[in-house]
Amino acid sequence: MNINKDIRSYIINNFKNDKKETLRNAIEGSIEEQDEITLPGMGVFLEIIWKDADKELQDKMLNIIMDRLKLEKQN
């Protein structure tokens, strides 16, 4: 059993037929709750975005992450 593949498959299958608002609520709820159990799902979402993003969007995402990490270090 490959748990990483199983998690990816579960997350994708769980959300693939949902509406945009359902996905938005899942993401925002995960962020608000700061529940560690939702992190694998957020990782799957990031992977999906990353694979379809061009270099410009990838660089923008990296800059956002880097800027945010710098802010977190200050707190």
Side-chain angles (χ1 to χ4, degrees), residues 56-68:
E56 183 180 342
L57 181 54
Q58 288 175 345
D59 286 343
K60 183 176 182 177
M61 290 189 305
L62 288 171
N63 288 334
I64 291 168
I65 292 168
M66 290 175 62
D67 290 346
R68 185 61 190 207

Side-chain angles (χ1 to χ4, degrees), residues 31-47:
I31 292 167
E32 287 173 14
E33 293 172 17
Q34 296 183 355
D35 188 355
E36 302 265 333
I37 197 124
T38 62
L39 290 177
M42 297 296 279
V44 172
F45 294 157
L46 176 60
E47 179 181 29

Side-chain angles (χ1 to χ4, degrees), residues 16-30:
K16 70 180 180 183
N17 294 318
D18 286 341
K19 295 181 181 183
K20 188 189 303 186
E21 193 60 31
T22 302
L23 187 55
R24 176 185 298 277
N25 290 338
I27 292 169
E28 289 177 351
S30 174

